[in-house]
Every structure is written in C-alpha cells, then in structure tokens.
Amino acid sequence: YIYTVPRRYCTVPLCQHLIGYLDGDGKGVAGLEAALNDLLAGSQARDTVTCSVTGQGRLVEGAEPVYTQAAGDGAGVQLTISRPVQRAVEAVAAETMTSGCILVLDAATAQVRASVSLPGYDPEDVSASLDAPDSPFLDRTLAAYAVGSVFKPVLAAAAIEAGEEDLVVECPGYTVVDGQVFRCASGTAHGTVDLAAALEKSCNGYFIRLGQALGADAVLEAAARLGFGQSVSVAGSLRGAAGELPGRDTLDTPGQLANFSFGQGQLLATPLQVAAMMNAIAADGVYRTPSFVLATLDESTGQVKESVPPPAARQVFSADTAQKLRELLAGVVTEGTGHEGAPVHGASAGKTGTAQTGQFTADGQEKMNLWFAGFCPADQPAYTVVVLQDGQTDPACSSAAIFGQVCEALWLLEQ
C-alpha cells in the first residue's frame, strides 16, 4: 500500500537558513521552524495507519489497512519573501560567492524579499553537512561582523544634518591621531577631498576628521537612530544579533573615535542592520525595521487568520538629506570605488566596505569582510541590496560586482 505524504520542503530548498529545519521527531530546531514551532505544529497530531494482524504479525486475510488523516490544527505563516526574487538571488550567489550572504529589501516597506546565506545545506539531510567547513548552518544575514566603510554613510548623514557637509580635507594617504597612524586603503593619497570625493574614494582620513568635527556624541546618536547596536526581531524567538556599538567612554580615546568614524574598532553589525540603514537613505530618511512575516494562515483554506502589523516608521533624517545622500552614493558607482556595482540596465547607488577581521590564514594573509550596500534604481529606489562576503582573502568576484548582478536580476524580473 502506498500513501502520498506531502513534502515539508520543495525538492530544491528555498531560503533554507531563514526557514530552518526539523529534528527527527518533526520539531523545529533552527530558523523560523524553531521560532514558530508551537504555531506551526499545533497539537502535533499525526496521520495513522491501522492494520488488523494475526498473532504472527501478518495482515488478516481480506482486511485492508485503514489510513486516518489527522485533523490539522497548526497554522501556516506567510512570509515577505518573494519566490522569484529569492530564486534569482540564490542563482547569483551560487555563481559568484562561496561564503557570505545577500539581502534584498523592498525600499518602500523594508519587507525582506530575499535572504540568502552561503554555504547552504539540505534541510532534509542535515547530517550530510555536520562536518562541512565554513559553518553552513550559520545564517549570516543575522550574525554580527566588522563592517568597515559601509558605515561611512552614517557619518555623511549626520554631517549633512549638522551643516558640516562642506568640510574639505587634504589626504596624504594617512592620518595621525594621538600618535597612531591610520592609513587609507593601500596608503593611497587622495589629495584634496570633500564629502563627495571622500565617499567615492572611500577616504578614511576624511571620515576621521569628520568624526572629530561632529564629536563622539553626534556620531553615536546617528548610529543608534539607524538601528546599530539593537537586535532586530525576525519572528517569535528568532532575532538578529545586536552587534556592538562602542561605549561613550571608549570614544573619549581619540584613536577609538577615529576607528569608529570609518567603521572599524569595536563596531560590529549584522547585514540586516546595514540593510536597514541603507534603506532609510532609499526611503527619504524614514527608518523601518526590516520585516519577514506578513500573516498567519489557516492551512486548510489558505485564508488569513491574523495579519502582522508593519513595524513603526520614524523619520531619522530629512528627505532633503536622503536625496543628497542618494546623489552622493550614486557617485560612488559612477565615479568611485563602487564602479563594478553598476548593472547593465538602469543605475544603482551604494557604498563599498572592506573590514579587517584580525583573523589570518596559515600563510599570514588577513581575512577580510567584503561589503557592498546600496539600492536600485539610483534615483527612485525600489530595492535595497546588501552583499557580504565574510572571511575572504581572494574572492572570485567583488561584492560590488555581485551587487550589480543582483540589481540586473531585479531589473529583469520587472520586465
């Protein structure tokens, strides 16, 4: 006798890190499966097959097994994830990166349309990945990392709001603060730079001076307003890491403030937090906490049982400031370090980031976190996209190039 049993997951796993997986008893132990286990499982009643057997354990002649389907009382959950967007981003990630993550947010709502983490695993054969390298069970979108220069738009926003956007600095390729030397990438001398050039060239020295001009309180306040140092709730008990903001007393040390001003030092943040920050720029200065769940559903009918209210929105800087930032970040792609982030069709905007990790390979190469965070189209953003490749020394593709491919895929899906 053969009875058809519905599959829990599709043949090609979709969004496996966010969704998670079950243990042998059907209980959720990771991701949303764990966070929403009680809601999804209900009473956990199981289908049964009843057989009449002889003393020897054989079926009684003429009797047939009786299959009884349990009444389902678990609820379904409708996610904000878009299947076409998720599949497209997964395809880009599979072709371009080995370790990292990609997030795509709807710019108007901050709803998460795609959440990809690599390396992956098969949720129906978890044991096959238990000994795999590079932490395949880690959802990198929710883990905290050193962020580097993708933090610089935070200072740029604070500077525009405070009227400090006209600062001009002479960059010889390094900056000395309290006897400590801070270098720009490869020690490159950027010459005379204003805010636009500093973002385009990712000049560390400029942002150190900008941080000094703004002061530690203003920089910390700007970061906190944009969600840094605060855990993001995904659903139920599942949350993103809070990351780390340096304490105010720490920033009394000039060297620590210098490090913080270009995204290094004690600062740690998740790709989800970086996406929320960049999305505020895309959305006219309105900060919305990224959301993953739309509603709970009646599994038998598919009807909505309860809608999840959207997170509260708050204005963190003016629409004019956001417009200036969008123009500045578009320049990073057209004129600066983010040129590989340009899609074939349309225009994009964003910021590169290369963060030191303090971790080294056996031959002494430091592993870097390679970021690109931005949005597309550049003038009227529809999507915010964050790419992180973690622990890299020589990646096959830059994070900017991966970002550009994602933007191109999003353009094609709209056609």
Side-chain angles (χ1 to χ4, degrees), residues 48-405:
T48 60
V49 177
T50 304
C51 302
S52 299
V53 297
T54 66
Q56 289 77 34
R58 297 178 179 177
L59 284 173
V60 173
E61 187 175 351
E64 294 187 357
V66 177
Y67 171 65
T68 303
Q69 188 173 12
D73 57 355
V77 175
Q78 182 182 11
L79 302 181
T80 62
I81 298 294
S82 161
R83 182 182 290 268
V85 174
Q86 179 73 22
R87 285 294 190 213
V89 176
E90 287 179 349
V92 171
E95 291 293 322
T96 58
M97 60 198 299
T98 57
S99 178
C101 64
I102 304 175
L103 277 167
V104 178
L105 272 59
D106 179 280
T109 63
Q111 292 174 352
V112 179
R113 297 293 183 237
S115 178
V116 177
S117 182
L118 286 180
Y121 64 91
D122 183 350
E124 295 200 272
D125 188 14
V126 174
S127 61
S129 298
L130 288 176
D131 297 322
D134 299 324
S135 306
F137 297 109
L138 174 65
D139 187 346
R140 285 163 164 79
T141 67
L142 305 179
Y145 298 89
V147 297
S149 294
V150 288
F151 184 70
K152 289 174 179 174
V154 176
L155 270 77
I160 295 171
E161 290 280 282
E164 296 283 352
E165 61 187 292
D166 295 329
L167 177 69
V168 176
V169 168
E170 190 69 27
C171 170
Y174 63 92
T175 301
V176 180
V177 177
D178 201 24
Q180 186 175 356
V181 178
F182 297 89
R183 300 188 184 278
C184 289
S186 303
T188 301
H190 295 127
T192 303
V193 289
D194 59 7
L195 181 56
L199 283 168
E200 290 169 9
K201 300 174 182 180
S202 203
C203 178
N204 292 341
Y206 182 93
F207 282 93
I208 290 172
R209 298 306 181 202
L210 187 57
Q212 291 171 336
L214 292 168
D217 289 330
V219 178
L220 267 178
E221 182 184 351
R225 281 202 312 270
L226 286 161
F228 289 92
Q230 301 157 45
S231 177
V232 174
S233 174
V234 176
S237 59
L238 182 61
R239 304 184 67 88
E244 186 171 346
L245 277 177
R248 178 62 184 82
D249 55 342
T250 298
L251 297 184
D252 284 336
T253 303
Q256 290 288 352
L257 176 59
N259 257 326
F260 182 49
S261 296
F262 61 96
Q264 289 281 182
Q266 295 184 4
L267 176 67
L268 297 175
T270 67
L272 190 61
Q273 290 170 322
V274 172
M277 174 272 289
M278 192 59 69
N279 199 71
I281 298 172
D284 289 331
V286 177
Y287 179 92
R288 296 177 176 88
T289 303
S291 59
F292 292 82
V293 178
L294 288 172
T296 57
L297 308 175
D298 184 310
E299 282 204 313
S300 60
T301 66
Q303 296 298 307
V304 173
K305 295 176 66 175
E306 184 177 0
S307 295
V308 176
R314 64 179 189 272
Q315 195 82 38
V316 291
F317 45 77
S318 71
D320 286 344
T321 294
Q323 176 62 32
K324 290 178 182 178
L325 287 167
R326 289 197 294 271
E327 294 170 0
L328 291 168
L329 294 173
V332 173
V333 176
T334 57
E335 306 293 338
T337 58
H339 63 276
E340 289 186 304
V344 176
H345 296 91
S348 64
K351 185 70 190 76
T352 54
T354 301
Q356 295 176 287
T357 66
Q359 300 174 341
F360 296 84
T361 63
D363 60 0
Q365 285 186 286
E366 186 172 13
K367 298 178 180 180
M368 301 290 190
N369 295 334
L370 308 177
W371 296 80
F372 196 94
F375 42 83
C376 61
D379 52 349
Q380 293 183 316
Y383 296 102
T384 296
V385 179
V386 170
V387 176
L388 165 66
Q389 296 185 84
D390 64 308
Q392 299 292 309
T393 56
D394 187 23
C397 291
S398 71
S399 291
I402 296 169
F403 169 89
Q405 290 190 38

